[in-house]
């Protein structure tokens, strides 16, 4: 039996698959489900991810078979076939991917068989089974990618690897609200190393990047949790090695990341170090001019970080190892496997700059109610005593759900994780060097915001 | 079947089984009314369709405004995911009504693969008990979605059984998305739950209530007005002002009404709907059960419809004379205020798309403002549209009408042909017009004003502003595109309508 979730912080497997398809260039999603699923998911992303709309073919323009009682009783494959044929006629794309919802999987529709019938006519139609009950949106991301790899969207078979071509995965579009900014920043950095990078979402890419993805020398996954299962399938199918690392946020982590990539691909060390030196230089060129304000007003804060598996440890690490803050509690908000939890615990235990070995308390918890109570319990209360220990000034860096938590412990609040309702997101991202500059800007904007 | 009998059932009927509903049509206003009356539209559908909403998502818009309640989305983790977006709206609504600001709290039973096989009732039970312990709400709405509907969870039996252990009223609602493409059935589902669980049987004769009110110091007759989420507090204030102008005191239900306060519903002399799409199920029920007369007529949008709405209400309560005077004074004032805008809008062409009733009512408002209405699109159609669609097309019987729940592909084909100066669209559709370079005015945009005489002026003001700079839409058109092959724009817009 599942455990209930108060105010879930992401969507279902279909949701993750759909927002990913919606992000992939040249790829047209076709939902095989009832009329509500796609609309519900577009509302979820709009409401949770800084007001992101549908782009080329998302939101309410996504083709959907809209099965109803008739199909639930008699099967929906015929309806799906009709929908796919019409979609091919009407919608301009390179690759068409059917994603299934709960009801069509429960009744046993075989979407893959339908896709195959179109493939036999030479049509680029594929299918992924992504019923909502299979898991959350992050799981849906992996389910989708696995299907894209196994079903042959990713290809081709039997080609030579290009030593300087890599694929970048691990960020779930829409559910990671900063997916665009983060992927583009990492792509930029890898580009500086002389690599040709496919993110599959960038405006200068097309579905051909997917179709040629097997030429890559390696898959780089900027996550220890998401995209890893798909990378393993990729390795099985194409023998492509992968590197799964934390999303790098800030100069320290990003330098580590670039070195890891260098070793993974056997790049020249001097080249890697040169890139790091230049990027570090630029980062501190900005930070230098902040230092007057930062030090005169003492901007160091205690911090609570509440975010998904991709963001929580990396943000805490940046705060501790670059900005010199004190992460007190780090909450990871999705159910994870033990191995994934261990990664996060290890990353946080290794924060280099914290004196006295004061490792932040790590919590794996989804429920806003439990998170609120745990952090409040951890925070020293001030009952008006004259000399009371306190953790102040403090910052809660989490989702919009943590607004009340921040108020409860007298902390400032910045939204960095789903749902984000108090800001509109475009190219913002917090990873790499430029992302960290944005993070510093956004944190300190909260401090001066009321002026 | 009588409505009281409907309410005795666990689940409300689908609108498809109760009204002559239609969600796919292309033609003219007069053709639509004729075909609908002839019963030829009920089986129409599409061979190509795009996603839209479902009963589950729409029901949440109502439920989450009800103070001191928690909703459970009984289903897989994705259902109900759009709820965060309502939190600030509901708090804004709380503030506007002087209520305590409350966060929207909902739970999801998070049904997984094993629940699909073994049933989700255990998970639901745990959820209900946890909510009771954590939040002590007055009521818990249990919104049953597709998966429990298909696997056959008996939510009502479980709720009845748990009710003994739980103080909160447990209110099961059947909102399976696959059951109907008429998303507005969600309103029936919510009202069904309210009728079954939040209103007791004690009768409270409305005539007496009216009489009692007559004796009140201010002499106002209490009436109920039924609100909805696309209507802001500012619109309620305007409607209350108008009703007060003819001697009535408006009480608003069901949004933002405390679960304990639904019994006050029975005190009204008249139940007044602002939109048939929302209330017919409930108002029929209240009439049968408590004898409260009701009015479901036009929507008080624009000068003419507002006046007709007021007159119809006045007619039911013997207030015609005062209403006529009031209306004359109000419309005179409004006409003078609108004159400069009418001049500027003269001959401009508008296309309108969204809810069945709001669309033609807005069409008539736009005609009053000097626009030519060139096309209407309704999310669905049923008998409640007949009068308004004939009225809006009075002088233009061939006015184009498309019935479609968003279906942006049909929308862009139509707009590309019609090339209107302005598009007025339901949320979720304005972007597609914008990509064609057409400025869009939101069909609703709470907390901005839209209803009554004041609303008419406000709409004129906002539309005037929108038309003054269209760079955003023009540039968007230059740099982006809708995802259809060019050939689609040469094709019949209704090519994919079947049946
Ligand atoms: S159609 Fe069914 S499964 Fe899909 S969002 Fe609506 S209730 Fe949930």
């Amino acid at each position: 039996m599942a455990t209930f979730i108060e105010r879930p912080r992401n969507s279902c497997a279909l949701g993750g698959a759909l927002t990913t398809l919606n992000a992939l260039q040249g790829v047209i999603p076709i939902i095989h489900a009832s009329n509500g699923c796609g609309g519900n998911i577009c509302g979820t992303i709009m409401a949770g991810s800084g007001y992101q709309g549908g782009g080329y073919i998302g939101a309410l323009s996504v083709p959907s078979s809209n099965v109803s009682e008739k199909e639930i009783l008699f099967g929906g494959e015929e309806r799906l076939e009709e929908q796919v044929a019409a979609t091919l006629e009407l919608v301009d794309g390179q690759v068409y991917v059917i994603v299934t919802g709960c009801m069509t999987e429960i009744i046993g529709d075989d979407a893959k068989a339908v896709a195959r019938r179109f493939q036999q006519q030479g049509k680029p139609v594929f299918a992924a089974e992504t019923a909502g009950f299979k898991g959350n949106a992050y799981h849906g991301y992996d389910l989708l990618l696995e299907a894209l790899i196994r079903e042959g969207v990713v290809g081709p078979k039997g080609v030579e690897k290009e030593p300087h071509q890599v694929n970048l995965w691990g960020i779930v579009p829409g559910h990671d609200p900063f997916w665009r900014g983060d992927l583009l920043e990492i792509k930029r950095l890898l580009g500086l190393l002389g690599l040709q990078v496919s993110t599959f979402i960038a405006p200068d890419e097309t579905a051909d990047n997917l179709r040629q993805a097997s030429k890559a020398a390696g898959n780089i996954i900027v996550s220890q949790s998401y995209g890893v299962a798909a990378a393993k399938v990729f390795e099985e199918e194409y023998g492509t090695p992968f590197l799964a690392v934390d999303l790098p946020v800030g100069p320290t982590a990003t330098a580590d990341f670039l070195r890891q990539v260098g070793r993974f691909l056997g790049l020249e060390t001097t080249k890697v170090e040169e890139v790091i030196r230049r990027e570090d230089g630029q980062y501190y060129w900005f930070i230098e001019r902040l230092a007057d304000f930062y030090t005169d007003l003492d901007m160091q804060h205690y911090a609570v970080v509440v975010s998904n598996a991709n963001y929580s440890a990396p943000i805490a690490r940046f705060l501790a190892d670059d900005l010199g803050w004190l992460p007190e509690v780090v909450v990871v908000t999705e159910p994870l496997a033990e191995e994934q939890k261990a990664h996060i615990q290890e990353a946080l235990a290794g924060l280099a700059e914290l004196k006295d070995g004061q490792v932040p308390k790590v919590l794996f918890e989804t429920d806003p109610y439990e998170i609120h109570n745990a952090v409040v319990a951890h925070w020293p209360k001030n009952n008006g005593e004259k000399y009371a220990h306190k953790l102040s000034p403090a910052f809660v860096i989490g989702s919009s759900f943590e607004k009340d938590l921040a108020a409860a412990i007298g902390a400032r609040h910045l939204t960095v994780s789903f749902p984000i309702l108090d800001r509109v997101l475009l190219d913002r991202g917090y990873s790499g060097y430029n992302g960290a500059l944005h993070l510093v800007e956004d944190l300190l904007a909260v401090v001066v915001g009321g002026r | 079947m009588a409505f009281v009998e409907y309410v005795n059932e666990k689940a409300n009927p689908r609108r498809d089984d109760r009204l002559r509903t239609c969600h796919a049509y292309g033609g003219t206003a007069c053709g639509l009314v004729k075909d609908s009356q002839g019963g030829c539209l009920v089986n129409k559908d599409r061979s190509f369709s795009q996603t839209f909403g479902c009963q589950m998502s729409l029901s949440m818009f109502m439920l989450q405004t009800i103070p001191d309640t928690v909703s459970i989305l009984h289903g897989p983790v994705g259902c109900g995911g759009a709820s965060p977006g309502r939190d600030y709206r509901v708090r804004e609504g709380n503030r506007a009504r002087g209520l305590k600001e409350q966060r929207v709290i909902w739970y999801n039973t998070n049904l997984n693969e094993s629940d699909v096989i073994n049933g989700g009732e255990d998970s639901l039970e745990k959820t209900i008990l946890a909510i009771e312990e954590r939040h002590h709400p007055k009521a818990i709405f249990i919104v049953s979605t597709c998966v429990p509907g298909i696997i056959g969870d008996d939510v009502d039996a479980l709720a009845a059984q748990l009710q003994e252990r739980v103080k909160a009223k447990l209110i099961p609602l059947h909102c399976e998305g696959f059951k109907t493409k008429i998303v507005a059935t969600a309103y029936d589902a919510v009202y069904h739950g309210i009728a079954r669980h939040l209103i007791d049987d004690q009768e409270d004769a409305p005539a007496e209530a009216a009489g009692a009110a007559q004796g009140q110091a201010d002499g106002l007759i209490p009436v109920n007005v039924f609100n909805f989420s696309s209507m802001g507090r500012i619109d309620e204030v305007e409607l209350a002002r108008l009703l007060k102008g003819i001697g009535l005191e408006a009480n608003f239900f069901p949004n933002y009404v405390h679960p304990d306060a639904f019994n006050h519903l029975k005190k009204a002399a008249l139940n007044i709907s602002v939109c048939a799409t929302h209330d017919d199920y409930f108002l029929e029920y209240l009439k049968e059960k408590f004898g409260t007369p009701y009015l479901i007529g036009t929507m008080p949008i624009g000068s003419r419809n507002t006046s007709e709405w007021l007159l119809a209400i006045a007619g039911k309560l013997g207030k015609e004379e005062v209403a006529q005077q009031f209306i004359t004074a109000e419309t005179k004032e409004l006409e003078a205020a609108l004159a400069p805008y009418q001049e500027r809008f003269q001959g401009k062409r508008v296309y309108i798309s969204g809810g069945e009733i709001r669309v033609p009512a807005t069409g008539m408002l736009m005609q009053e403002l000097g626009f030519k209405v060139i096309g209407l699109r309704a999310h669905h159609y049923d008998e409640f549209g007949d009068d308004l669609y004939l009225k809006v097309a009075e002088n233009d019987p061939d006015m184009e009408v498309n019935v479609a729940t968003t279906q942006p592909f049909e929308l862009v084909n139509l707009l590309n042909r019609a090339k209107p100066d302005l598009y007025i669209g339901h949320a979720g559709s304005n972007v597609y017009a914008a990509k064609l370079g057409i400025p869009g005015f939101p069909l609703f945009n709470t907390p901005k004003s839209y209803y009554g005489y004041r609303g008419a002026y406000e709409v004129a003001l906002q539309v005037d502003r929108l038309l003054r700079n269209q760079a955003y839409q023009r540039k968007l058109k230059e740099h982006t595109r809708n995802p259809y092959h060019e050939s689609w724009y040469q094709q019949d817009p209704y090519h994919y309508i079947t049946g």
Side-chain angles (χ1 to χ4, degrees):
Chain A
M1 183 179 61
T3 22
F4 60 80
I5 304 180
E6 181 195 337
R7 290 183 276 166
R9 292 163 191 266
N10 66 82
S11 179
C12 58
L14 174 63
L18 194 60
T19 53
T20 305
L21 287 176
N22 179 222
L24 296 176
Q25 294 289 343
V27 178
I28 306 300
I30 301 171
I31 305 170
H32 185 36
S34 291
N35 38 270
C37 296
N40 170 57
I41 289 159
C42 110
T44 304
I45 298 309
M46 182 63 96
S49 227
Y51 306 94
Q52 297 184 33
Y56 177 65
I57 184 159
L60 300 184
S61 62
V62 179
S64 173
S65 61
N66 295 353
V67 291
S68 57
E69 265 179 327
K70 184 177 112 211
E71 287 83 12
I72 305 291
L73 285 174
F74 303 111
E77 283 178 35
E78 214 178 294
R79 169 68 196 113
L80 175 61
E81 210 162 323
E82 177 184 57
Q83 175 70 17
V84 173
T87 305
L88 288 168
E89 211 172 80
L90 187 61
V91 179
D92 189 6
Q94 296 174 278
V95 169
Y96 299 76
V97 180
I98 303 163
V99 277
T100 50
C102 297
M103 63 298 287
T104 55
E105 281 193 44
I106 294 176
I107 62 169
D109 279 0
D110 189 347
K112 285 189 174 150
V114 172
R116 234 161 282 135
R117 291 202 277 278
F118 283 95
Q119 284 167 20
Q120 279 155 9
Q121 301 159 29
K123 308 282 191 219
V125 178
F126 304 85
E129 280 157 6
T130 54
F133 58 75
K134 288 195 163 140
N136 67 17
Y138 298 107
H139 183 56
Y141 174 74
D142 270 305
L143 285 179
L144 174 79
L145 295 187
E146 285 169 36
L148 295 185
I149 297 159
R150 286 202 206 276
E151 297 296 306
V153 177
V154 165
K157 288 269 183 200
V159 287
E160 290 273 309
K161 305 262 181 264
E162 302 277 347
H164 290 289
Q165 192 177 319
V166 293
N167 304 320
L168 184 57
W169 313 95
I171 297 183
V172 183
H175 291 84
D176 268 323
F178 301 94
W179 59 282
R180 291 166 292 181
D182 284 337
L183 282 168
L184 293 183
E185 168 71 354
I186 311 269
K187 177 173 177 158
R188 179 186 76 85
L189 291 167
L190 296 177
L192 295 177
L193 296 179
L195 298 174
Q196 238 187 354
V197 186
S198 285
T199 62
F200 314 101
I201 62 105
D204 60 345
E205 299 180 35
T206 67
D208 292 339
N209 290 70
L210 277 174
R211 290 169 167 159
Q212 304 291 319
S214 67
K215 288 188 183 157
N219 284 311
I220 296 174
I221 326 296
V222 281
S223 171
Q224 306 270 15
S225 304
Y226 308 127
V228 179
K232 287 179 184 160
V233 173
F234 205 123
E235 191 168 37
E236 257 169 51
E237 294 277 325
Y238 293 102
T240 312
F242 69 90
L243 173 71
V245 286
D246 276 342
L247 181 72
V249 175
T252 304
T254 309
D256 281 357
F257 166 74
L258 294 173
R259 289 188 186 111
Q260 274 173 300
V261 172
R263 280 194 298 276
F264 172 64
L265 295 169
L267 305 177
E268 251 177 75
T269 320
T270 46
K271 171 126 199 200
V272 176
E273 291 305 321
E274 171 61 16
V275 170
I276 293 172
R277 201 184 54 73
R278 268 195 300 167
E279 287 289 314
D280 260 344
Q282 178 165 313
Y283 177 86
Y284 281 101
W285 181 71
F286 283 106
I287 290 291
E288 182 183 24
R289 275 175 197 267
L290 173 69
D292 312 57
F293 163 78
Y294 190 94
T295 54
D296 281 347
L297 278 93
D298 175 16
M299 284 292 127
Q300 189 190 48
H301 284 71
Y302 293 97
V304 176
V305 180
V306 184
S307 194
N308 68 8
N310 277 2
Y311 246 50
S312 47
I315 296 263
R317 181 176 179 199
F318 167 70
L319 296 179
D321 285 355
D322 291 316
L323 204 54
W325 286 18
L326 301 158
E328 272 291 316
V329 184
V330 176
V331 187
V332 185
T333 55
E334 305 89 54
L336 293 176
E338 288 310 316
E339 187 195 345
Q340 297 166 336
K341 288 187 186 174
H343 274 306
I344 290 172
Q345 242 137 1
E346 206 180 299
L348 292 170
L351 296 180
E353 301 291 337
L354 292 178
K355 302 290 178 237
D356 326 319
Q358 275 183 352
V359 176
K361 181 183 162 114
V362 187
L363 217 69
F364 295 93
E365 182 59 67
T366 296
D367 197 302
Y369 180 87
E370 299 288 354
I371 293 170
H372 187 102
N373 289 350
V375 174
V376 169
H378 177 90
W379 227 251
K381 276 171 219 27
N382 184 350
N383 297 322
E385 296 108 337
K386 190 164 176 191
Y387 300 111
H389 176 63
K390 44 179 190 180
L391 298 174
S392 176
F395 235 108
V396 173
I397 298 159
S399 74
S400 286
F401 290 160
E402 277 69 54
K403 204 172 171 189
D404 294 343
L405 168 62
I409 62 168
R412 298 185 162 105
H413 177 229
L414 178 73
T415 48
V416 302
S417 43
F418 190 101
I420 294 181
L421 290 149
D422 60 349
R423 45 207 298 223
V424 171
L425 299 177
L426 295 173
D427 72 334
R428 253 285 164 292
Y430 289 144
S431 61
Y433 293 92
N434 290 338
L437 289 173
H438 293 150
L439 182 53
V440 176
E441 257 180 17
D442 292 348
L443 286 166
L444 299 184
V446 176
V447 177
V448 300
R451 293 186 181 179
Chain B
M1 207 198 240
F3 286 79
V4 279
E5 282 168 45
Y6 284 145
V7 170
N8 284 334
E9 301 289 321
K10 288 178 191 168
N12 54 292
R14 308 180 316 151
R15 288 206 176 174
D16 321 47
D17 300 330
R18 192 168 74 69
L19 301 170
R20 53 171 149 92
T21 54
C22 147
H23 66 94
Y25 173 82
T28 64
C30 293
L32 169 67
V33 175
K34 204 165 102 237
D35 288 354
S36 172
Q37 285 172 344
C40 351
L41 302 181
V42 285
N43 289 321
K44 287 208 175 286
D45 210 329
R46 287 179 174 80
S47 58
F48 174 83
S49 55
Q50 290 164 312
T51 187
F52 45 102
C54 64
Q55 293 194 72
M56 177 282 301
S57 40
L58 191 59
S59 69
M60 301 308 286
F61 279 87
M62 271 170 98
L63 297 175
Q64 291 180 329
T65 67
I66 312 240
D68 217 358
T69 64
V70 172
S71 299
I72 299 175
L73 272 301
H74 183 38
V77 67
C79 295
S83 301
R86 279 186 292 275
D87 182 73
Y88 81 92
R89 284 179 191 278
V90 170
R91 281 184 292 123
E92 187 178 86
N94 291 148
R95 276 198 304 275
R97 290 165 180 81
L99 301 170
K100 196 172 116 210
E101 256 188 60
Q102 277 189 330
R103 281 215 178 275
V104 169
I105 307 282
W106 78 99
Y107 280 68
N108 182 295
T109 51
N110 189 21
L111 300 183
N112 61 19
E113 236 154 348
S114 88
D115 298 312
V116 167
I117 296 160
N118 302 312
E121 291 170 19
D122 290 346
S123 178
L124 178 58
E125 174 170 339
K126 280 213 310 198
T127 315
I128 293 171
L129 296 177
I131 293 173
E132 170 83 354
E133 192 191 310
R134 289 174 171 189
H135 305 283
H136 322 291
K138 269 284 172 205
I140 298 173
F141 294 110
I142 304 164
V143 180
S144 198
T145 67
C146 291
V147 168
I150 296 175
I151 64 175
D153 279 0
D154 194 343
V155 174
D156 296 85
L158 178 73
Q161 178 206 327
L162 277 180
Q163 188 64 79
E164 289 161 26
R165 293 163 58 193
V166 172
K167 273 203 187 136
K169 276 226 171 97
L170 300 180
I171 308 181
L173 304 170
H174 294 269
C175 295
E176 300 86 358
F178 70 84
K179 281 262 170 80
T180 176
K181 291 182 186 172
I182 308 299
V183 183
T185 302
Y187 301 122
D188 302 354
V190 175
Y191 278 133
H192 188 82
I194 291 175
R196 282 168 66 82
H197 297 276
L198 294 182
I199 300 179
D200 61 35
D201 269 355
Q202 263 183 343
E203 297 198 14
D204 206 329
E208 274 171 44
Q214 303 279 17
Q216 277 174 12
D218 54 8
L220 298 176
I221 301 175
V223 294
N224 295 327
V225 180
F226 292 80
N227 58 7
F228 33 81
S229 64
S230 54
M231 175 182 182
R233 177 62 189 159
I234 193 166
D235 288 325
E236 292 179 9
V237 169
E238 169 68 354
L239 296 184
R241 178 184 79 84
L242 301 180
L243 293 171
K244 196 169 178 186
I246 64 168
L248 312 179
E249 186 195 345
N251 294 305
F252 290 90
F253 290 93
N255 288 331
Y256 296 99
V257 172
H258 192 274
D260 287 343
F262 277 91
N263 273 315
H264 300 325
L265 259 175
K266 294 181 283 185
K267 293 202 186 105
L270 183 66
N271 284 327
I272 302 171
S273 168
V274 178
C275 173
T277 292
H278 292 80
D279 313 312
D280 84 295
Y281 185 78
F282 195 45
L283 298 198
E284 281 281 3
Y285 167 76
L286 291 173
K287 183 174 168 212
E288 284 178 17
K289 181 89 184 167
F290 302 108
T292 319
Y294 69 82
L295 180 97
I296 290 184
T298 185
M299 204 178 211
I301 284 176
S303 180
R304 174 171 164 194
N305 278 314
T306 299
S307 301
E308 287 182 6
W309 184 74
L310 271 176
L311 273 178
I313 294 165
K316 296 242 174 207
L317 297 168
K319 297 272 187 188
E320 291 92 336
E321 210 171 306
V322 51
Q324 200 56 66
Q325 281 166 14
F326 180 72
I327 288 166
T328 309
E330 284 282 328
T331 46
K332 201 173 146 216
E333 213 183 335
L334 175 63
E335 264 163 38
L338 289 180
Y341 298 96
Q342 281 159 335
E343 218 167 283
R344 285 210 282 284
F345 295 149
Q346 210 53 53
K348 290 217 184 315
R349 303 159 73 249
V350 61
Y351 217 105
I352 309 170
S353 176
E356 175 195 15
I357 304 294
R358 191 160 180 149
V359 159
T362 295
M364 290 172 69
L365 163 62
M366 298 314 285
Q367 287 167 341
E368 289 165 7
L369 294 181
F371 277 85
K372 180 171 169 56
V373 176
I374 47 175
L376 303 175
R377 299 181 82 234
H379 277 180
H380 73 274
Y381 192 79
D382 56 28
E383 47 267 56
F384 294 107
D386 294 356
D387 282 352
L388 270 171
Y389 281 80
L390 292 178
K391 252 160 62 176
V392 67
E394 249 165 21
N395 299 318
D396 183 7
D398 290 334
M399 186 182 290
E400 183 168 84
V401 180
N402 172 210
V403 181
T405 319
T406 312
Q407 304 305 311
F409 76 107
E410 283 176 12
L411 172 68
V412 297
N413 184 315
L414 292 165
L415 289 181
N416 189 58
R417 282 159 202 273
K419 303 207 170 15
D421 299 296
L422 179 71
Y423 171 71
I424 300 183
H426 191 282
S429 72
N430 291 297
V431 58
Y432 306 112
K435 281 182 160 185
L436 296 174
I438 303 164
F441 177 64
L443 186 64
F444 50 86
N445 189 11
T446 61
K448 288 204 183 91
S449 154
Y450 203 104
Y451 283 80
Y453 300 118
R454 284 197 172 154
Y457 181 75
E458 186 66 23
V459 168
L461 209 69
Q462 302 294 342
V463 165
D464 187 48
R465 168 179 58 72
L466 269 166
L467 293 177
R468 287 180 60 188
N469 188 338
Q470 304 173 19
Y472 185 85
Q473 287 80 2
R474 203 166 48 75
K475 299 276 162 72
L476 198 64
K477 180 183 178 180
E478 277 168 27
H479 294 98
T480 66
R481 57 176 287 230
N482 284 306
Y484 316 101
H485 289 295
E486 280 310 312
S487 55
W488 170 235
Y489 297 98
Q490 266 67 66
Q491 182 72 264
D492 171 11
Y494 310 125
H495 178 75
Y496 292 97
I497 292 181
T498 58

